[in-house]
Amino acid sequence: MNSRDLILGRVRRALADVPRDDTPYEQAVDRDYLREHGNRSVEETVELLAENLADYRAIVHRCPADELPALLAGILAARGSASVLVPPGLPPEWLSAADTAQVEDRAVSTVYDLDGVDSVVTACALAVAETGTIVLDGGPDQGRRRITLVPDHHICVVRVPDQVVSSVPQAFERLDPARPLTWISGPSATSDIELDRVEGVHGPRTLEVVLVSAADR
Amino acid sequence: MSGTFVGMPAFPKAAHEAVNNQTLRGNLRHATHTIRGKREKAVAELADWAELREAGKRIKDHTLRHLDRYLVQLEESVTAAGGIVHWAADADEANRIVIDLVRMTGESEVVKVKSMATQEIGLNEALEAEGIAAYETDLAELIVQLGKDRPSHILVPAIHRNRGEIRDIFAREMSEWGRPAPEGLTDTPAELAEAARLHLREKFLRAKVGVSGANFMVADTGTLVVVESEGNGRMCLTLPETLISVVGIEKIVPTWRDLEVFLQTLPRSSTAERMNPYTSTWTGTTDGDGPQTFHLVLIDNGRTDTLADEVGRQALRCIRCSACLNVCPVYERAGGHAYGSVYPGPIGAILSPQLRGIASEIDASLPYASSLCGACYEVCPVAIDIPEVLVHLRERVVEGGPVTREGNKVVLKPAKGHAAERAAMRAARWAFSHPGALRTGQRLASRTRRFHPRTLPGPGKAWSATRDLPPVPAEPFRDWWQRTDGGKDTTK
């Protein structure tokens, strides 16, 4: 007998006490937990996102859409970044004001190439206010998973309020499980040494989040 | 389970030694009390915590009750997404599968995400025996690996080490494994983390094979989930060409939506955060992004035996948050090593004897590694009634009875070393049903109390070795009651 059949057989024998007409999944789980915590206006939800991002040591900026290129150029200049990784589908105007050298993530580029780049700018799939989380789903304006991992400085642009959800349950409703997802809450951190939180281990040590509001609002 | 712990003494002996280690007790007390306070705050932020806990419990219970169906569904969806599924009945088979998969890549080293399952099966040792180097990349696991030590906590395996000890380990050992620690390394956590970053980055960038576990597997979509903080998980899941995930069969949830429960309860219960810094999900392989070959190794290794125990199967609900360790007064004093297993603390005390059986001395002693105070049940985000299972397993140890081992029903003999306990209980039963004998015995005990030894002789020695004997009162309670008319007559 192969191990698959062996294990499945063991499982079935182990469950001999369970009636086969047991409650179906839909009825087995009460979902009377909340879809979101608290009643907030759209503005308050965005405010909470900003607060929780900052609480986990992300640097938060806010601006209207027409000021985004200048803000991004300013962030890169202040950091002294000589090069910035750009996902293939990033709106070109976002970096139109930056004089930092733009690097594409090509199929042939090695991780050593990426390791030499100073910063990366991406959009996101959505952001979760209650937890201060941004979620990337590998879309064209976010690029492959590795580009937001290897460089030490990640700038992520969130369109508010469209891309902001209140809670974790609302996030799962909107995300596609078939895509590779990366949930990011603050920069890389560890609490392994005496439970003292230290930011920056293997992922980017600096996370800057730009909450950009539509120009016509 | 793991070869690492073979020859461990039973819990009382190991705990006795640990309790006398002042550094260990200091480190543990600081750590567990810090995280206890934080967890309470993080949980209090969610008004629906009780409902989330109940939902988590029900999702896991339902999954376990239909585990065969969900395993088959998971296999189909992972395969459809481009992954390859392997099944391993025990640790040896799982290790063999992983070794063969690594061999097929032609590589002789792998980078590893911290994983309880691979520790349980002793994968690192098995790989090493075949000439394959396995590098742990979680900071705490790195500390444990470089220190030739064993993990002592589920979430923060190096919790028993303080910063000075960590500095010494890094300065001494890093050069053996790759990039040495920087000159003049101090013991500030930031500098230590930086040293680990530099040391491990060279390994991440050249790695061709990654090995991980998973916190969850979603049956209907074939998605795997890893929850972490440092980014070492993302490195191992993203940069290598081949990813091998080794996961216990109990880690399934039925649907994508179920994750909304656990991604709220897990971070708050474990690190006391609203959300851990990084969570990665992957569904098979994605063209041009991340590993292009994905293997999932599903392991049993005692889980189906645990499932067969109607009381004990609830231990399989565990999502490895470690909240029960941090509130446990026994863990706080004894430390993780005393449990002789990769699963320490209250959950380890019920999980290890079920996964491994209670044939060995250490496993038979684990159900007793508790004061049954119930704090572990209170904090458990999937409401595992750990005290209930402990008592159930104690009964198994003392009385024996039907259990399942490697899929076969067997009748367990009463464990050795409990003969005195059984004899004492029988004697007590007889005495309590013979009031005259009880009265005589009690009076005799009172009159001779000055001559009683501090420890019990003969078979009672085992009991009194870890406890202070209660003093015998000058007068039996029943005599006092009669003499003073139930305490009303204070003149006598």
Side-chain angles (χ1 to χ4, degrees), chain B residues 330-382:
Chain B
V330 176
Y331 175 86
E332 182 188 329
R333 286 161 181 84
H337 290 155
Y339 293 80
S341 155
V342 297
Y343 303 109
I347 187 64
I350 63 169
L351 203 51
S352 309
Q354 295 200 85
L355 292 177
R356 303 192 294 204
I358 45 181
S360 76
E361 200 193 351
I362 176 84
D363 288 315
S365 75
L366 284 177
Y368 293 87
S370 166
S371 63
L372 298 181
C373 75
C376 47
Y377 173 54
E378 291 295 314
V379 297
C380 179
V382 285

Side-chain angles (χ1 to χ4, degrees), chain B residues 101-120:
Chain B
L101 290 173
V102 177
R103 284 261 170 79
M104 268 162 43
T105 66
E107 294 296 315
S108 59
E109 64 177 42
V110 303
V111 287
K112 282 192 65 211
V113 195
K114 172 174 148 40
S115 141
M116 299 308 297
T118 60
Q119 276 176 16
E120 176 190 318

Side-chain angles (χ1 to χ4, degrees), chain A residues 3-8 10-20 22-35 37 51-52 55-56 111-112 114-115 130-133 136 138 143-146 148-152 167-173 175-205, chain B residues 30-31 34-35 38 46-48 51-52 55 58-59 62 64-68 70-72 75 87-89 93 137-140 155-156 162-163 166 189-190 192-194 196-197 200-201 204-206 221 223 229-232 234-235 237-239 249 254-261 263-264 273-283 286 288-290 300 304 307-308 310 313 406-407:
Chain A
S3 294
R4 178 186 189 275
D5 296 338
L6 179 75
I7 293 169
L8 289 173
R10 284 178 182 178
V11 170
R12 287 175 190 131
R13 283 200 303 283
L15 294 170
D17 64 298
V18 176
R20 285 288 101 178
D22 201 25
T23 322
Y25 168 78
E26 291 70 27
Q27 292 155 36
V29 184
D30 282 338
R31 295 198 190 264
D32 43 14
Y33 51 84
L34 303 171
R35 302 309 297 171
H37 298 84
E51 272 172 35
N52 283 338
D55 195 30
Y56 278 11
V111 285
Y112 295 98
L114 301 185
D115 196 28
E130 286 180 7
T131 56
T133 305
L136 310 181
R144 296 198 274 177
R145 280 171 278 179
R146 63 186 202 167
T148 53
L149 175 61
V150 178
D152 205 13
S167 66
V168 171
Q170 290 175 357
F172 274 99
E173 271 169 28
L175 291 167
D176 177 1
R179 307 183 79 106
L181 303 178
T182 306
W183 295 52
I184 299 172
S185 308
S188 161
T190 183
S191 301
D192 279 344
I193 302 167
E194 297 182 20
L195 290 182
D196 273 0
R197 188 178 164 99
V198 179
E199 273 81 33
V201 196
H202 305 301
R205 280 179 284 194
Chain B
H30 168 71
T34 304
I35 200 153
K38 280 191 192 164
L46 298 187
D48 57 342
E51 288 79 11
L52 284 166
R58 294 208 180 186
I59 291 167
H62 170 84
L64 291 171
R65 288 166 75 87
H66 302 275
L67 191 58
D68 49 342
Y70 287 119
L71 278 167
V72 171
E75 181 185 46
W87 301 70
E93 188 176 11
T137 62
D138 171 79
L139 177 55
L155 186 81
V156 273
N162 61 33
R163 59 188 71 188
I166 296 167
L192 295 170
E194 174 71 15
R197 176 187 178 94
L200 286 172
R201 184 154 280 230
F204 287 133
L205 297 189
R206 70 168 188 239
T221 61
T223 307
S229 294
E230 295 171 9
N232 66 304
R234 290 180 65 192
M235 288 278 183
L237 301 169
T238 306
L239 300 185
I249 54 172
T255 69
W256 175 246
R257 186 184 176 189
D258 294 326
L259 293 174
E260 72 187 20
V261 174
L263 280 196
Q264 294 190 79
E273 293 171 303
R274 286 183 203 109
M275 188 60 85
N276 50 290
Y278 296 131
T279 298
S280 301
T281 78
W282 67 103
T283 305
T286 306
D289 183 2
D300 178 347
T304 51
L307 189 67
E310 289 174 39
R313 72 167 59 129
E406 294 177 1

Side-chain angles (χ1 to χ4, degrees), chain B residues 116-127:
Chain B
M116 299 308 297
T118 60
Q119 276 176 16
E120 176 190 318
I121 62 174
L123 178 64
N124 289 7
E125 294 78 6
L127 287 171

